[in-house]
Amino acid sequence: MLSARGLALRRGHAWLFRGLDLTLEPGQLCWLRGQNGSGKTSLLRTLVGLSRPETGAVDHLADRPVYIGHGTALKEDLSAHEALQFLASLHGRDHDADGIDAALRRLQVQQGSRRSVRTLSQGQRRRVALARLALEDRPALWVLDEPFDALDPAGMDIVLQLIREHLLRQGAVILTSHMPFSLPGMPLFVLDLDTRASHA
């Protein structure tokens, strides 16, 4: 699904890390950890091609990755339904109105689907953005930056279930999270940028 070799990133004159190797196989989940400023978001953006490393290379061995950043990327003047439809279309995942409604129901934000994004709470906005995952049925690579941010426990459970289903269809996931989580029975390994340790 993903192979990264010899990655090096820096911020200004300071190196965030050098010589980083990462391989993600189908059905595998990687929890990327590290303190604030350790380079987690920079690494995720590099893995999906939004940033270039100083050295090293990234190869995607499957479909184009699905990237959901720390911001929701929702247009505030659109309704939740329209915003999700726009996001899906922007990333080549066109869906009809019924499919968009079903995804919003899965994330339990169907009641606010016709409301302007600017009127939604942070948690509701996060659910709308994450509803994009409910539109996916391909075993692609998911790259998720703090997906549990602003979610209550029920919302977190929904997203974890989506991740489980994706891993079972042989997709792969790399995510950052300051919140502990568990997916019993799923292959998980941790990549810690503070110690550069990788363990199951």
Side-chain angles (χ1 to χ4, degrees):
M1 301 296 286
L2 172 73
S3 175
R5 304 174 307 281
L7 293 184
L9 294 178
R10 65 182 175 186
R11 183 175 294 128
H13 297 294
W15 290 98
L16 294 171
F17 51 79
R18 288 185 277 190
L20 186 145
D21 298 322
L22 173 64
T23 300
L24 262 179
E25 303 289 346
Q28 198 168 43
L29 168 63
C30 173
W31 183 2
L32 178 63
R33 298 176 62 177
Q35 295 180 357
N36 291 339
S38 62
K40 300 185 299 297
T41 293
S42 297
L43 175 56
L44 294 187
R45 289 177 57 83
T46 300
L47 294 178
V48 298
L50 294 176
S51 299
R52 294 175 62 89
E54 295 292 326
T55 63
V58 178
D59 293 321
H60 300 127
L61 310 178
D63 280 347
R64 186 173 63 178
V66 173
Y67 174 63
I68 298 181
H70 194 234
T72 62
L74 301 174
K75 288 185 169 291
E76 293 202 344
D77 56 331
L78 299 179
S79 70
H81 185 279
E82 292 167 337
L84 178 58
Q85 196 160 37
F86 175 79
L87 269 185
S89 177
L90 185 66
H91 295 94
R93 306 294 209 267
D94 290 321
H95 286 272
D96 61 20
D98 289 343
I100 297 295
D101 284 339
L104 292 170
R105 280 196 303 274
R106 182 72 190 271
L107 271 293
Q108 298 182 356
V109 283
Q110 68 275 18
Q111 297 300 324
S113 65
R114 297 305 191 264
R115 288 170 50 193
S116 168
V117 167
R118 67 166 51 90
T119 69
L120 302 177
S121 70
Q122 282 299 106
Q124 289 173 320
R125 293 183 192 200
R126 174 60 62 179
R127 286 184 185 231
V128 172
L130 290 167
R132 187 178 156 209
L133 301 179
L135 296 171
E136 295 291 325
D137 58 8
R138 290 183 270 185
L141 170 66
W142 289 2
V143 180
L144 312 176
D145 194 356
E146 295 291 343
F148 309 125
D149 187 46
L151 292 182
D152 57 18
M156 189 171 173
D157 286 345
I158 293 168
V159 175
L160 286 171
Q161 182 58 33
L162 286 170
I163 291 173
R164 176 184 292 277
E165 293 168 8
H166 186 62
L167 296 174
L168 289 173
R169 63 173 168 258
Q170 293 303 291
V173 180
I174 179 169
L175 62 81
T176 63
S177 177
H178 291 295
M179 300 176 62
F181 67 92
S182 64
L183 274 171
M186 294 289 100
L188 164 71
F189 73 93
V190 174
L191 174 60
D192 192 324
L193 292 182
D194 293 332
T195 62
R196 293 290 298 282
S198 179
H199 54 274

